[in-house]
Amino acid sequence: MNKAKAAFAGAVVVAVAGASAVLWALNEHGLIGSEDSTVNNSYAEVQEEDGVDYYNNSDSGGNGSNYGDTNDDNDAADENEANDGGNGDEEQNNGGNGDNGDIQSDAAYEDINTFLSAFSLVYFAESDEGYSSSNYSTYELIRFAYSHIKRTSPQSLVTKESGDAYGMYSGVSYDEVNSVLADYLGKTVQKESVYTEKSAAFFEYEDGYFYTPAADGLGFSDIIVADSVSDNGDTLSVAFTVYSSGAACDMTSQEAKDAGVKYGSGTAVLEYEDDNFVLTSYKINIDS
């Protein structure tokens, strides 16, 4: 579960006292715009998504399904187990260096691309609603953590046989799911099964594991490259392009456009604190 850590190529002196090093670095890279930039306007459009997402439908009922709570009760579940993201395992740390926080421009730019690519690589929240920290699908959160672990640490998955129509299930531990979610999204989920309106799109909770019908699934290839970044304190608003091939996280926006095959575009909002990114909003538009 590697997230890029900010690299150092030498000591960087921040001239303005109290200014965030990562924002200074992005400005040096020519990515940061003003608070009134088009990126922030795009974010405002994302925030207008106010309804329940396509996985959440408390009125649907049926076979005891839990369509995913959007309230904050889930976030408080088993905090002692879940709040270990960013500690210990290097793969769980999502940015920064643990020293003085100075980040060179190229490294900061690549860190943002790598962090956001963790979501695009597993096709996170590719619905009309996207994702926001105040309106989200519990199923989509678990699916992100499960897919991220499957991509970065497949040996962590377990399997079990079942006598139902699916035959074989693949599972991931509750603790690992919440570790990933706390680190990337600042969220946790409860120890309970979660279903959707799609017959095979669900996670059954059992004895400390979330299980879902085993399948080969899609390949992990979609990379995000930021086109522009604007800042407002400790918040970064990013406009980006998603590439299905040809691009890499260490490319500039122009290099990626020249070499990559475009999959879509979108906007994201990140909180930046203690050398870590946390996703608070994400919306992607897939090219038809």
Side-chain angles (χ1 to χ4, degrees), residues 235-255:
T235 300
L236 301 177
S237 297
V238 185
F240 59 79
T241 301
V242 188
Y243 298 93
S244 59
S245 64
C249 291
D250 60 354
M251 287 183 174
T252 66
S253 175
Q254 189 57 54
E255 288 171 341

Side-chain angles (χ1 to χ4, degrees), residues 22-273:
V22 67
L23 302 182
W24 172 86
L26 289 169
N27 184 58
E28 287 293 299
H29 198 69
L31 285 170
I32 289 186
S34 70
E35 183 177 348
D36 297 324
S37 69
T38 57
V39 180
N40 281 331
N41 292 336
S42 298
Y43 172 48
E45 294 175 6
V46 174
Q47 294 296 71
E48 290 176 5
E49 297 290 349
D50 211 13
V52 177
D53 65 29
Y54 75 112
Y55 284 124
N56 293 330
N57 186 350
S58 58
D59 294 328
S60 293
N63 64 38
S65 296
N66 172 5
Y67 282 78
D69 250 337
T70 59
N71 60 41
D72 290 336
D73 292 342
N74 286 342
D75 302 343
D78 298 296
E79 290 183 358
N80 289 335
E81 293 181 14
N83 288 334
D84 60 350
N87 294 321
D89 187 350
E90 182 178 354
E91 292 179 345
Q92 293 287 58
N93 297 324
N94 67 40
N97 49 69
D99 295 326
N100 59 14
D102 293 344
I103 302 176
Q104 289 202 350
S105 57
D106 289 343
Y109 175 71
E110 184 176 348
D111 282 347
I112 290 174
N113 294 342
T114 302
F115 176 78
L116 289 175
S117 291
F119 298 96
S120 62
L121 281 164
V122 298
Y123 308 93
F124 175 70
E126 291 190 357
S127 66
D128 292 339
E129 292 83 1
Y131 166 82
S132 76
S133 59
S134 60
N135 182 33
Y136 57 87
S137 156
T138 302
Y139 169 81
E140 189 68 17
L141 263 59
I142 300 173
R143 192 193 69 78
F144 164 70
Y146 168 84
S147 300
H148 179 78
I149 294 166
K150 181 179 180 180
R151 180 178 70 85
T152 61
S153 184
Q155 70 275 9
S156 298
L157 300 183
V158 299
T159 58
K160 72 170 184 177
E161 293 187 17
S162 174
D164 63 16
Y166 301 107
M168 189 70 68
Y169 283 76
S170 182
V172 65
S173 80
Y174 166 84
D175 290 341
E176 286 188 86
V177 165
N178 271 343
S179 181
V180 171
L181 293 179
D183 195 37
Y184 280 82
L185 297 168
K187 300 289 184 184
T188 61
V189 293
Q190 295 178 335
K191 295 178 177 179
E192 59 187 22
S193 299
V194 178
Y195 298 86
T196 79
E197 75 280 5
K198 299 179 181 179
S199 61
F202 64 89
F203 285 94
E204 289 182 346
Y205 176 79
E206 179 181 317
D207 296 331
Y209 285 82
F210 287 111
Y211 289 96
T212 193
D216 291 336
L218 299 171
F220 306 120
S221 60
D222 295 341
I223 294 294
I224 282 178
V225 176
D227 297 313
S228 63
V229 179
S230 63
D231 71 280
N232 181 13
D234 292 329
T235 300
L236 301 177
S237 297
V238 185
F240 59 79
T241 301
V242 188
Y243 298 93
S244 59
S245 64
C249 291
D250 60 354
M251 287 183 174
T252 66
S253 175
Q254 189 57 54
E255 288 171 341
K257 290 181 189 300
D258 292 341
V261 176
K262 185 180 178 183
Y263 174 74
S265 59
T267 57
V269 177
L270 316 179
E271 296 293 334
Y272 179 79
E273 184 177 0

